[in-house]
């Protein structure tokens, strides 16, 4: 089971993205637990996740996120605008899996 947190500004667009990634994972019979939250909640979940996917419009907080992860084994992934803007769950899942390698 892969535990993933998606963050955007408020949690709204990442909620749709998370739902589409869940559908893509279900189609591949994969177990992925995905939560969507606003960026202010990252610290609350950092101990429970394997990966943190960040909305492309939040690229500017990537340095701060490294401080939150504090050396924990959390893979931080900046989502790509080409699938985030269209909420393409299949492409997002492929990106996630390629990063988790």
């Amino acid at each position: 089971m892969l535990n993933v947190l998606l963050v955007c500004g408020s949690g709204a667009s990442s909620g749709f993205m998370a739902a589409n990634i869940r559908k893509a994972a279900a189609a591949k019979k994969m177990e992925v637990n995905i939560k969507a939250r606003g960026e202010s909640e990252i610290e609350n979940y950092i101990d429970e996740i394997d990966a943190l996917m960040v909305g492309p419009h939040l690229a500017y907080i990537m340095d701060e996120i490294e401080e939150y992860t504090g050396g924990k084994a959390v893979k931080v992934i900046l989502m790509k605008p080409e699938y985030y803007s269209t909420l393409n769950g299949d492409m997002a899942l492929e990106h996630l899996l390629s990063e988790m390698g």
Side-chain angles (χ1 to χ4, degrees), residues 17 54-57 78-88 91 95:
M17 188 81 241
V54 180
H57 54 291
L78 184 63
M79 288 187 271
K80 296 180 180 174
E82 44 285 17
Y83 61 74
Y84 191 82
S85 61
T86 59
L87 300 175
N88 186 317
M91 286 175 70
H95 185 205

Side-chain angles (χ1 to χ4, degrees), residues 50-61:
D50 303 305
L52 173 65
M53 296 185 81
V54 180
H57 54 291
L58 294 177
Y60 68 94
I61 67 163

Side-chain angles (χ1 to χ4, degrees), residues 24-31:
K28 294 181 190 240
K29 299 190 177 6
M30 297 176 58
E31 290 195 23

Side-chain angles (χ1 to χ4, degrees), residues 2-43:
L2 192 58
N3 291 299
V4 182
L5 177 65
L6 258 69
V7 291
C8 67
S10 63
S13 52
S14 60
F16 294 114
M17 188 81 241
N20 291 344
I21 295 173
R22 278 188 214 107
K23 285 180 201 158
K28 294 181 190 240
K29 299 190 177 6
M30 297 176 58
E31 290 195 23
V32 181
N33 178 22
I34 300 188
K35 290 184 177 80
R37 299 289 182 265
E39 63 172 289
S40 60
E41 296 184 67
I42 294 171
E43 289 175 273

